[in-house]
Amino acid sequence: MSYYFVIIGTRDNPLYEIQLNSSKFPVPAPLPPNVASATSLFDTGGAAPGYGHKNSKHVMQIVAHASLDVIEDAQWTASSMYLKAIDRFHEWNVSAWITPGGMKLVLLWDAKNDDGIRLFLHESWEAYAKYALNPFYELNAPVKSRYFDAKIRASARKHL
């Protein structure tokens, strides 16, 4: 199971992004760079040639950014900040957490874990709120804190 988490600012700019793998199902180690299997040379993971694998970073960025319109439409009718499975693109599902200030925490996931996803997004929002309390914080500035990154990774290991 893999996840892609991104924090989108009020100007629809990405502030923080990370690709996560579930700790419950470890990902096999990649082949060394000097060893290539016959299938790895031709396997594109079901994607069109030249467009990369479904888990490549640019594909997940496009899916997350494409879901912003759906998230913005749903935020006016939702009664909570957590939007569960708001959008779907092939095997990727999109969940989001809308902050009162207009920030969007978007998580792409491929395996159902409703409670874990909700708890992860809630803890991520709390970590971002604590980060934003820094007097030197600038609105819509990229997050470049090792402490914040460690908090997100620990929350992912705990809940995803």
Side-chain angles (χ1 to χ4, degrees):
M1 295 188 292
S2 60
Y3 301 89
Y4 174 73
F5 175 66
V6 62
I7 298 176
I8 306 290
T10 58
R11 296 186 209 139
D12 289 344
N13 56 326
L15 304 181
Y16 176 82
E17 61 181 346
I18 187 169
Q19 189 172 350
L20 303 161
N21 291 314
S22 176
S23 60
K24 296 173 179 83
F25 300 100
V27 177
L31 292 173
N34 57 352
V35 177
S37 68
T39 58
S40 68
L41 295 175
F42 303 105
D43 183 27
T44 60
Y51 290 102
H53 189 269
K54 66 177 182 157
N55 289 344
S56 62
K57 187 175 180 180
H58 69 277
V59 172
M60 291 186 279
Q61 288 173 335
I62 290 170
V63 172
H65 208 76
S67 66
L68 288 180
D69 289 334
V70 176
I71 292 169
E72 288 173 355
D73 288 342
Q75 78 181 8
W76 301 111
T77 59
S79 60
S80 70
M81 295 192 297
Y82 174 58
L83 305 174
K84 177 173 77 172
I86 194 72
D87 197 9
R88 183 170 173 80
F89 180 79
H90 293 294
E91 70 279 344
W92 289 109
N93 293 300
V94 180
S95 293
W97 187 280
I98 309 296
T99 67
M103 309 293 264
K104 298 164 197 74
L105 285 72
V106 180
L107 181 71
L108 274 64
W109 48 277
D110 58 358
K112 191 170 185 165
N113 180 6
D114 291 334
D115 289 334
I117 290 170
R118 183 182 54 78
L119 291 171
F120 170 75
L121 288 172
H122 184 264
E123 283 187 11
S124 300
W125 174 54
E126 286 180 350
Y128 183 76
K130 289 177 183 176
Y131 176 78
L133 289 174
N134 181 346
F136 300 109
Y137 169 76
E138 294 178 26
L139 185 63
N140 290 314
V143 177
K144 296 179 182 176
S145 169
R146 287 183 289 185
Y147 177 74
F148 180 80
D149 188 59
K151 291 283 282 183
I152 295 298
R153 290 177 189 273
S155 179
R157 276 192 301 275
K158 183 176 172 184
H159 298 295
L160 299 180

